[in-house]
Amino acid sequence: MFETMVDQKQSALQEIGLNPKGKIFWQLTPAELVEQALRRGEGALCDNGALAADTGKFTGRSPKDKFVVADDLTRESVWWGEVNNRLEEDKFEALLARVIEHLDAKDELFVRDAYACAMAEYRLNIRIVTESAYQNLFANNMFLRPTAEELESIHPEWRILAAPSFEADPQRDGIRQANFTIVSFAKKIILIGGSGYTGEIKKGIFSVLNFVLPHFHNVLSMHCSANLGKDGDTAIFFGLSGTGKTTLSSDPNRALIGDDEHGWDNQNNIFNFEGGCYAKVIDLSKEREPQIYNAIKFGALAENINFIDGTREIDFHDKSKTENTRAAYPLNFIDNALEHSVGSNLKNIFFLTADAFGVLPPISKLTKEQAMYFFLSGYTAKVAGTEAGVTEPQSTFSACFGQVFLPLHPTKYAELLGEKLDANSDVNVWLVNTGWIGGAYGTGSRISLPHTRALLTAALEGKLTNVQYNKDEVFGLNIPAECPGVPSEILAPRGAWKDTAAYDAQANNLAGQFNKNFEKYADFASDAIKSAAPKMK
């Protein structure tokens, strides 16, 4: 049975000016939300039980339409520019009033209380108001879910207002186009309009935590996955799209803490921000990624997918709507997920990169200074066919492996990483290349997944502790001379090339790209970070 609960909850909404005239569905269960979504024509059931919904015109985030309100908290602290677009307070107040008026006029609204951060010390209570049932199902799946007892006394600190059918007037509202995501740290509101893409909800809160946790708690917020070994050791995995972050952190011998967003506190705890996973499912198969495949069931949300003709079976290879097909599901849909989503005793950090130039070694151990430098660089490469117009390998640099979500200057996060490593000297940092060896893309070959897994297993089990290391001349990387289960000849990239002169030229080329990318941070970076830059021959 659906209850409006207007009498009990109306005052809570009025705190931010909402006074809805229609029906309010409050804290519906997943089954109720699915039923409402079907009644409202928002989607269809897949044969595996998941709700399939389309997000409309936008099938991905729109970073150029993300704004931060310039207020007393942010004016002098936010990294203004290409990543954080500035919006003045008066423009935000006027737009907020119109969005509230728009929501008040709706026949139905869906409201949910949830929270972020699995450690109680950093918990962020959130109230999400959505136009659509599928958006509310997403919020249920992705954020941490309060118990019935907690719901009776929960006091939301942040509010998310998601109004995809509201479109702004760019000239009047001081923004780029009709859609927007705006974060106000003074009002503690995330305002979303003109886009039904649910990732804006998830990443809005991530951006908030990327400001609040480092700025006020000295917690390093990280765009990474994390898992926990049977001996209580925690590992975290950074990597941009296509580097294998989800695949490599999904290990049947290790419990999954989370797949995307985590914090590292002063007690060496790694805690998940979320209560779910938002997995890319393009070309998903049961054989390659069984955990994700099996998690797409009743209660999960599948976005922008198509069915195989004449069936309700998801066609995971169909890219006609977008290559960014997604599934959102609670973390406990993964068999080996860690229930409390906190790991202590961090031992290993992996920076994953798919180097299409064939220069970086399959694995290397980083010094603290190198870790800060490669963290700040956030490097991988795109290869032909990954995006329209990409015909040869292209370098991609994204600071801290998540530049578009950073409200503070990237060097703040890199320096905080250095502080954590100083305080936890037994933490090992590894650079892992899941890309090409023996030549660049087109001439070399991609490192096999079994070899990459063997390298990670050796690092996790301490089997690379006492082996001989050789130093790379250009990048200064410490490369193990041997590893169980991996041919020694592939470990040193220069030796794997038939033409070493061609390797040297390619290494110089990539080093030059690193150095050029780093120029924009040079005035803000410490000498320790600068010292780890590659040295061109």
Side-chain angles (χ1 to χ4, degrees), residues 355-357 359 379 392-395 397 440 474-475 502-516 534 536-537:
D355 175 29
F357 298 96
V359 169
Y379 163 73
E392 59 184 27
Q394 292 183 2
S395 297
F397 296 93
V474 175
F475 285 86
Y503 171 84
D504 291 339
Q506 194 74 286
N508 262 356
N509 172 48
L510 184 59
Q513 294 182 58
F514 266 86
N515 290 335
K516 182 173 177 57
M536 296 173 65
K537 285 187 177 180

Side-chain angles (χ1 to χ4, degrees), residues 384-404:
T386 57
E387 289 185 11
V390 177
T391 58
E392 59 184 27
Q394 292 183 2
S395 297
T396 298
F397 296 93
S398 180
C400 311
F401 299 94
Q403 178 173 302
V404 294

Side-chain angles (χ1 to χ4, degrees), residues 252-507:
N253 296 313
R254 298 178 65 87
L256 182 68
I257 298 172
D259 80 330
D260 199 45
E261 302 172 7
H262 296 84
W264 182 2
D265 74 2
N266 292 335
Q267 286 71 51
N268 204 23
N269 294 308
I270 302 298
F271 60 94
N272 196 353
F273 292 167
E274 302 182 300
C277 301
Y278 193 38
K280 289 187 74 168
V281 296
I282 196 69
D283 294 327
L284 179 70
S285 70
K286 187 173 185 178
E287 294 71 31
R288 286 190 302 175
E289 295 181 277
Q291 291 178 316
I292 296 174
Y293 186 93
N294 292 329
I296 305 174
K297 58 187 179 181
F298 185 78
L301 174 66
E303 291 183 348
N304 301 313
I305 55 89
N306 281 305
F307 296 122
I308 295 173
D309 287 346
T311 75
R312 288 297 176 92
E313 181 182 349
I314 297 175
D315 185 349
F316 288 109
H317 305 294
D318 191 325
K319 305 176 183 179
S320 58
K321 292 177 183 174
T322 178
E323 288 198 10
N324 190 37
T325 53
R326 294 270 183 172
Y329 47 86
L331 192 64
N332 59 19
F333 279 22
I334 299 292
D335 290 339
N336 67 333
L338 192 66
E339 185 176 353
H340 63 287
S341 297
V342 178
S344 57
N345 193 28
L346 176 64
K347 287 295 184 183
N348 291 282
I349 299 172
F350 297 97
F351 295 158
L352 306 176
T353 179
D355 175 29
F357 298 96
V359 169
L360 298 177
I363 194 168
S364 53
K365 191 173 183 180
L366 305 183
T367 65
K368 182 196 80 172
E369 292 75 20
Q370 288 172 332
M372 296 164 71
Y373 182 88
F374 277 92
F375 184 59
L376 190 54
S377 298
Y379 163 73
T380 192
K382 297 175 184 175
V383 297
T386 57
E387 289 185 11
V390 177
T391 58
E392 59 184 27
Q394 292 183 2
S395 297
T396 298
F397 296 93
S398 180
C400 311
F401 299 94
Q403 178 173 302
V404 294
F405 313 120
L406 304 182
L408 305 174
H409 195 281
T411 53
K412 299 292 185 184
Y413 304 93
E415 288 167 0
L416 189 51
L417 172 66
E419 291 177 19
K420 301 292 183 190
L421 292 174
D422 277 337
N424 302 277
S425 57
D426 59 343
V427 174
N428 298 307
V429 186
W430 308 90
L431 179 67
V432 176
N433 176 20
T434 62
W436 276 257
I437 54 172
Y441 172 80
T443 58
S445 58
R446 186 139 197 194
I447 297 167
S448 74
L449 181 58
H451 284 159
T452 300
R453 286 197 182 279
L455 290 165
L456 262 64
T457 299
L460 289 165
E461 294 179 353
K463 294 178 180 177
L464 298 182
T465 302
N466 297 316
V467 302
Q468 177 187 336
Y469 281 82
N470 301 311
K471 190 176 288 291
D472 169 77
E473 292 184 14
V474 175
F475 285 86
L477 299 169
N478 294 301
I479 305 169
E482 58 182 299
C483 176
V486 181
S488 296
E489 58 267 22
I490 76 167
L491 294 176
R494 189 174 188 271
W497 282 54
K498 293 179 180 178
D499 184 346
T500 54
Y503 171 84
D504 291 339
Q506 194 74 286

